[in-house]
Amino acid sequence: MKRYLKNPLIIIMSFVFPVAMAIGIMGDSNDNSKVIGIIDSDKSEYSENLIGNLSDNYKVITYTGIAEENFDALRNNQVGALYVIDNGFQKNIQNKVAPQIKAYKKQDESGAIIAENTIDKYIKEKLQDNFNVSKNLISTSIEKDESKDNTDFIIATLMICYFMMIGSSIITEDIIKLKACKVLKRTIVTPNSDRQILGGMFLGTFIIQAILSSVAFIVVSEVITLSNMNILLGILVITLCSLVSTSIIVATNRWIKIPSMANLTVVMVSLISFILGIMNMSLLEFSNVPNIFIRLSLISPFYWFIEILNNVSLIKAIFVLILTSLVFFTCGSFKLRGFIEED
């Protein structure tokens, strides 16, 4: 573990890069507190005036249709909140009825308070101007429906796992170089058993990757808002990813002797696994997708990471990931002396 911590590349790939990338990419998408969406079904003078008032403090994006058809604007963080002005907005006010404005948000945000106050104030003033009603007797109901979308949380966690697996290529190359430089050969003359030496190498890898990536996840979650985040599931996925990553290191070190090829192999396995997992996540939004694509994604650890993050088939996903790790460990299992003495 001390050796790995002295290698700046491992710290950069397992901590610095994922934090920088997640904050850089997702930080911008979360900066939506000053952007709101409006569906104006009334299209009256009153509704246009209300939108004008909201435009004083927000960038207003207008949408058509019903709210459910425009939820992608919330999911993709294009707007911080979506407000619906129903048909009959002006008529209700003229009939001395305070209309309801429906608000759809991913979560309660301080940026939405000004919008809701603006809506409330506008309706009260209109009712008071038309009918001389006391402001204290008027209340506006704003219905809130928090979306359960957790895409930001999933993407941020998967990104951290991806960089962890990419960073494991550095450890793979380092172990092969230790063998080439005869450093490992000198360890077998110590009183420690082969199992202790080998276990120390790979247990250290598992612990370092899990800790660095978990800290990266916590830092990202503190800096940017991850909607519907479950920190326990996030750390569980990162720990399982470290287990899978370590098992891949074991298998790669057993079968590939050239450092650069071992490095490239781990990188390619990580990239393909990430693409398959993300591809399946995207394909779920479409219908009539060939089953071959969905089945192909089942071989990717990232598919099962997503299952855990969605809190779906939790036990099954954990079992599959542990079994996958055991397969790689078995494939790469070897006697330390035999590994060292191989040319």
Side-chain angles (χ1 to χ4, degrees), residues 12-14 30 32 37 77 79 83 85 88 90 95 107 135 143 156 159-160 168 178-179 208 243 290:
I12 290 173
M13 291 302 299
S14 297
N30 277 269
N32 57 17
N77 290 305
V79 296
Y83 295 93
I85 303 176
Q90 178 170 314
N95 290 333
Q107 57 189 4
K135 288 185 178 181
E143 297 182 357
M159 191 179 299
I160 290 171
S168 68
L178 286 178
K179 174 192 170 184
I208 283 296
L243 182 64

Side-chain angles (χ1 to χ4, degrees), residues 14-244:
S14 297
F15 178 75
V16 178
F17 267 16
V19 170
M21 291 294 291
I23 294 176
I25 294 174
M26 307 190 70
D28 290 338
S29 66
N30 277 269
D31 187 20
N32 57 17
S33 59
K34 284 295 182 180
V35 183
I36 60 174
I38 296 290
I39 299 177
D40 183 9
S41 299
D42 194 50
K43 300 187 183 302
S44 62
E45 178 185 354
Y46 283 14
S47 64
E48 290 179 359
N49 290 339
L50 174 57
I51 294 173
N53 289 353
L54 290 169
S55 299
D56 293 338
N57 296 301
Y58 295 90
K59 176 183 177 182
V60 176
I61 301 177
T62 57
Y63 296 95
T64 58
I66 61 176
E68 289 76 8
E69 295 174 346
N70 296 281
F71 278 168
D72 281 344
L74 286 171
R75 297 189 183 103
N76 299 330
N77 290 305
Q78 296 172 359
V79 296
L82 180 65
Y83 295 93
V84 180
I85 303 176
D86 288 327
N87 187 30
F89 175 76
Q90 178 170 314
K91 185 177 180 180
N92 283 335
I93 294 177
Q94 292 173 340
N95 290 333
K96 303 182 181 181
V97 177
Q100 287 188 336
I101 302 294
K102 296 178 181 178
Y104 298 88
K105 298 181 292 182
K106 296 178 72 171
Q107 57 189 4
D108 285 327
E109 298 179 6
S110 59
I113 295 176
I114 298 176
E116 295 175 7
N117 288 340
T118 300
I119 294 170
D120 187 73
K121 180 181 178 182
Y122 178 81
I123 294 175
K124 287 179 178 180
E125 288 179 347
K126 279 296 179 184
L127 287 172
Q128 186 181 43
D129 289 343
N130 290 342
F131 306 106
N132 193 27
V133 180
S134 171
K135 288 185 178 181
N136 295 328
L137 299 178
I138 302 170
S139 62
T140 304
S141 175
I142 300 180
E143 297 182 357
K144 301 176 184 177
D145 183 11
E146 297 185 6
S147 171
K148 298 303 181 183
D149 181 70
N150 61 348
T151 304
D152 292 347
F153 164 58
I154 292 177
I155 294 299
T157 308
L158 294 184
M159 191 179 299
I160 290 171
C161 290
Y162 172 66
F163 277 104
M164 180 204 299
M165 296 184 71
I166 291 291
S168 68
S169 65
I170 302 171
I171 298 176
T172 302
E173 186 176 7
D174 178 67
I175 293 175
I176 295 178
K177 286 181 177 179
L178 286 178
K179 174 192 170 184
C181 296
K182 311 298 183 182
V183 173
L184 290 182
K185 196 168 187 177
R186 291 194 291 271
T187 64
I188 64 174
V189 300
T190 66
N192 301 303
S193 67
D194 296 358
R195 183 175 297 180
Q196 287 174 324
I197 297 170
L198 188 62
M201 292 168 55
F202 294 118
L203 185 59
T205 299
F206 168 74
I207 294 173
I208 283 296
Q209 290 188 138
I211 290 177
L212 287 176
S213 297
S214 294
V215 172
F217 172 72
I218 293 171
V219 170
V220 170
S221 65
E222 289 293 326
V223 174
I224 61 179
T225 300
L226 300 177
S227 57
N228 298 300
M229 182 187 71
N230 188 320
I231 192 167
L232 294 179
L233 287 182
I235 293 178
L236 173 62
V237 164
I238 288 170
T239 303
L240 290 170
C241 180
S242 182
L243 182 64
V244 173

